[in-house]
Amino acid sequence: MCHYTYFVYLIIPKITYSHDVSILWCPLFLSLDALLFGRAIHSLAKIGEELYVEPSSKGVAFRTVNSSRSAFASYTFSSGFFSQYDDGSLNQEKDAGEETVKCKVAMKACLNVFKSLATLERTVERCKITLDGEEDKLGIQLNCRHGINKTYNLSFIECETLQAVFDRESCPNYIQSQSRVLSDAVLNFQLNQDEVTLCVSPEKIIIRNYVEDEPDPAKAIHTVLTLEAGEFDRYNITGEGEVTFCLKEFRAVLTFAEPVNLPVTCHFSNPGSPIIFTVDNRPMFEGTFVLATLAEKSDSQISRSQSTSKQAAQTTHTPKTVPRIRSSSQTSINRSQNSTFDNMRSEQSTLRRSDQIGEVSSRLFEKRASLSSAHNSSALQTSSQSSLENKPILPSSPLRLARASTTNGNTSHINMSMRDDSLPDLNGDEGEREEEDIPGTPPAKRAKKFIFQRCFESTFNPEDVPGHDRVLAEDSDDGF
Amino acid sequence: MSFSSQLDDEHNDYQLMTKIDNAKNVLHLLKAVNFRDTATVFASSNGLKVTVEEAKCIQANAFIQSDMFQEYSIREDVITFKVNLNVFVECLNIFGGSSTPGITPALKMCYNGYGSPLILLLEEAGVLTDCSIRTQEADDTLDFNFCNTGVINKVIMRSECLKEVFSELDMSSDVLEILMSPDPPYFRLSTFGNYGTNHTDIPRDSDMVENFSCTQTMTQRYKLSLLRPSIKPLSASQKVSVRTDERGFLCLQFMIKTEDNHICFVEFFCCPDEEGSE
């Protein structure tokens, strides 16, 4: 596993929704295309374990994020896509500033409904999705041929919106290609290939499989595929560059795009900034995948050593040998060392609202991009080695998502955020407030063996036992 | 396909002797009920009934009528014995699945009363196999006492739609709830699994439903694990009849058409689940 930069989600605060208020909130979406839904769900299921359903007046979004928070996927269906659309806002007793409720369901449960795409295509005529605010149930009703109706009731949990912060328009590079071209390209890579690198230039793109620290470089399989600029529908690459991202997650995009025969657009800037894949069929629907990319621009052949501490000192990076970042004071210290962070801090304070539930540390990607490039160059100058378990050069604060908390009891959090608002320099406080233990980059698989190598050694060495050389009873012979 | 003379017996002094040109017909029926190792065979002048039971809660019966056979002779009124069904099915399938079209394995089955083995002689394309399967004393089989007069609700439908429903059932649910009613939703199968509650409704006016006669609204739950053996005969059948009686017992009857266009039936009984009954 390589180091990914982290997304930080900007939480749109809301929800004064309370169970005390009797809600008739019942959004309803009726679609004639269950197959498309099914494809979207299958595609999302390849990314995350939970499906976030977010209805709004304009349409409904189905979103997910993966467990390491390095991939975000969202399919938005506009209200025009449905033959009947009601986001439930009319029924809802609205207080000022209240938005429709967002919820999440188990991805497996949804997948169970749309399990067989062949059956969906063959038999399902209509698909109706309802959200029952009182029973906390997501209802999916499939009207099939021969008058058969299938109803599925899945429990949901209310939650905050799931949203990645990214700015597609500010990405200098973008390409658009028929999904067929990309899936043919991707066929050339092994199924277990985790990551690929796109090496772009104004004339062509080279797709390489990304080889991690391989003890014997000669044993690694290298796959290199070149696509000329002419093979793309749109090709706008400003300079030379490389981005590395997770192939498995990209396949999820193609799972959806290829059968519906839509082109895929790719926006990216420099390493560390996310790469954004879009399947655009607006105004009907749009699919967006935001994948983290490798932060540092390192040659895959560079062997990594455990020079974390050295690295850390040079790049103002805390010695993080453990991926799980309890991003408390450590990160805050780092931030104070970099003025750019202060800028971001102040931005955060304006974004944060007082009634927010859950912890937020929002960092905009644009800032990230500039930061990462600055660090990249410094990283390259100071050390040609990077360590396996090195987090991104940036002291990354792992993704923060407001946790589903439907109670109003988090007044303590609310107070803290208010306090933070007033402080210009929030370095220390930010750290204290982060109580959520959201895992950071998982370490590279080989790093585990490296870090925990003692665990793999046999622990019992007879010679360590004191007095082992004093024999009290000889071994008896085999023959009796 | 006529029998080779090798199989003909000049003296037929078996208690039960049957001959059929295509053993596959018998094979498919037996396979449909082969969810346990042993089966009890009841032979009468009407034909053979092969019964398989489990947990004293479910019973499957495959009926192989005497007119399916080219020759069928029985000396007693009723002959019963218990036999290892796995072995029986394996023997019938001795020539394997695929064969050149037009050539079918012929079967001669003989049984000579209490204690004697079940003898199978199979021949295909000149190759002869004879099997002798030990028999046992027949156990008492359950009598579900399911009589037509006690039937409250009955639905006959084409098997395809039920096949699909069963294949997509949420297996994490312990029970399958069957609701049959003269009012909507008419016929509803429900599961209560890890992913939530799922319902499948088949209305009475669906073109998959051939006959719908429900007098009362009845909801019964059956253990899904016990119903699972019914999926095999369901897949093999063209039509299925679902009946429940006043005690809540379920009777499924599957109409299976053999290769020779013979109509055969497999019957399946199941007790309702007492625990979670509403």
Side-chain angles (χ1 to χ4, degrees), chain B residues 247-265:
Chain B
R247 304 164 299 169
F249 279 64
L250 175 72
C251 173
L252 301 170
Q253 281 178 326
F254 305 99
M255 187 191 93
I256 300 176
K257 228 184 221 180
T258 64
E259 287 173 16
D260 308 343
N261 286 329
H262 263 108
I263 308 272
C264 306
F265 288 93

Side-chain angles (χ1 to χ4, degrees), chain B residues 19 50 79 81 90 121 140 143 171 186 191 199 224 240 251 257:
Chain B
K19 284 190 196 169
V50 179
I79 297 175
F81 56 88
E90 286 297 325
L121 290 158
D140 288 332
D143 179 4
M171 287 301 168
Y186 304 115
T191 53
H199 304 294
L224 198 53
V240 60
C251 173
K257 228 184 221 180

